[in-house]
């Protein structure tokens, strides 16, 4: 007895169903894989892991990147302005060398200009003491471009006379590799500029 042939249309329908099912399964699998990668990456960005003394893994929640950047930036600016402006005849070379690690060529150019103008020679000649009293920095974020405005109050002790000044400086901040102890915050000051410098009277200081 001959085996009856199957209806060709039924065979094609079955094949189409199988192909369609395989395509749908592959699509669902791909979507699930992408979702898993996204979820894993998101969790990794918000967490860090440390190894305990017994070998166990301890998850550590990281603070917001923006909050962390702002703290680092304020500390970096305070460090720079302290090194660059808190100087006297005994420490100015050491402090300025440290300050130059925290900025790019714009800081170096300002240093060279001051040196050419005889600022540091007068420091040595008259044994001047320039002391920073306060540093107030403001950070601005413009779509990932960070700029700052810093107000530095410092005094110059000339022995019998002490004058107080207010310096307003501006610039930008970019992220670089940390270099401890030269650049512990991993930031670099660019486009640094001394905008205004004015002498404060006793009335200004009280305010």
């Amino acid at each position: 007895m001959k085996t009856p042939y199957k209806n060709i249309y039924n065979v094609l329908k079955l094949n189409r169903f199988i192909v369609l099912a395989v395509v749908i399964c592959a699509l669902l699998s791909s979507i699930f894989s992408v979702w898993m990668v996204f979820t894993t990456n998101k969790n990794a960005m918000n967490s860090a892991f440390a190894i305990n003394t017994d070998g166990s893994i301890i998850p550590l929640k990281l603070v917001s990147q923006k909050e962390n950047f702002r703290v680092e930036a304020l500390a970096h600016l305070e460090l720079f302005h302290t090194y660059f402006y808190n100087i006297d005849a005994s420490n100015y070379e050491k402090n300025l060398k440290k300050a130059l690690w925290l900025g790019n060529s714009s800081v170096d150019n300002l240093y060279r200009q001051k040196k050419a103008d005889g600022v540091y020679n007068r420091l040595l000649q008259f044994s001047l003491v320039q002391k920073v009293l306060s540093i107030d920095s403001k950070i601005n974020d413009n779509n990932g471009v960070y700029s700052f405005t810093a107000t530095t109050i410092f005094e110059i002790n000339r022995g019998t006379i002490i004058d107080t000044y207010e310096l307003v400086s501006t610039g930008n901040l970019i992220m670089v590799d940390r270099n401890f102890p030269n650049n512990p915050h991993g930031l670099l000051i660019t486009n640094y500029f001394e905008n205004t410098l004015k002498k404060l009277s006793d009335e200004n200081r009280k305010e």
Side-chain angles (χ1 to χ4, degrees):
M1 182 177 180
K2 294 183 179 181
T3 303
Y5 290 103
K6 294 183 179 180
N7 188 303
I8 187 64
Y9 294 106
N10 292 335
V11 173
L12 290 176
K13 285 182 180 180
L14 179 61
N15 289 342
R16 186 171 59 181
F17 174 77
I18 294 174
V19 171
L20 187 60
V22 171
V23 171
I24 292 175
C25 289
L27 182 61
L28 292 176
S29 178
S30 298
I31 294 174
F32 179 74
S33 299
V34 171
W35 179 77
M36 285 295 295
V37 170
F38 175 77
T39 303
T40 303
N41 181 68
K42 184 177 180 181
N43 292 335
M45 290 296 291
N46 292 324
S47 302
F49 299 91
I51 299 178
N52 202 355
T53 53
D54 60 359
S56 60
I57 297 177
I58 307 172
L60 302 174
K61 287 294 182 182
L62 298 180
V63 296
S64 167
Q65 288 186 355
K66 285 190 176 181
E67 291 179 355
N68 186 58
F69 178 86
R70 186 170 294 275
V71 171
E72 296 272 11
L74 291 174
H76 185 85
L77 291 173
E78 183 169 354
L79 192 64
F80 167 75
H81 286 84
T82 299
Y83 282 147
F84 202 72
Y85 298 103
N86 198 88
I87 54 177
D88 57 41
S90 64
N91 70 8
Y92 84 97
E93 289 184 331
K94 178 181 66 176
N95 280 10
L96 290 174
K97 183 178 180 180
K98 292 179 179 179
L100 292 177
W101 274 95
L102 307 178
N104 73 344
S105 59
S106 61
V107 174
D108 183 64
N109 291 338
L110 178 61
Y111 159 71
R112 293 178 184 274
Q113 183 62 49
K114 287 178 178 287
K115 188 175 182 179
D117 292 341
V119 172
Y120 306 120
N121 284 337
R122 289 193 293 273
L123 195 74
L124 293 172
Q125 183 178 357
F126 300 106
S127 298
L128 303 179
V129 177
Q130 185 170 295
K131 181 181 179 181
V132 172
L133 302 178
S134 66
I135 302 167
D136 182 24
S137 301
K138 300 289 188 300
I139 310 294
N140 297 311
D141 178 7
N142 184 16
N143 296 325
V145 177
Y146 295 96
S147 60
F148 69 86
T149 301
T151 302
T152 305
I153 308 295
F154 64 90
E155 64 180 20
I156 298 180
N157 189 326
R158 296 180 171 86
T160 57
I161 301 175
I162 298 178
D163 294 321
T164 305
Y165 297 87
E166 178 188 83
L167 170 70
V168 178
S169 55
T170 58
N172 296 98
L173 287 169
I174 60 174
M175 288 179 280
V176 297
D177 291 336
R178 294 178 190 269
N179 186 337
F180 186 83
N182 297 317
N183 191 334
H185 302 290
L187 296 170
L188 196 69
I189 295 172
T190 64
N191 302 319
Y192 185 69
F193 185 73
E194 292 181 343
N195 292 73
T196 61
L197 175 65
K198 67 178 182 180
K199 184 177 179 180
L200 300 179
S201 63
D202 292 337
E203 289 76 12
N204 295 137
R205 293 182 63 184
K206 288 178 183 179
E207 292 177 1

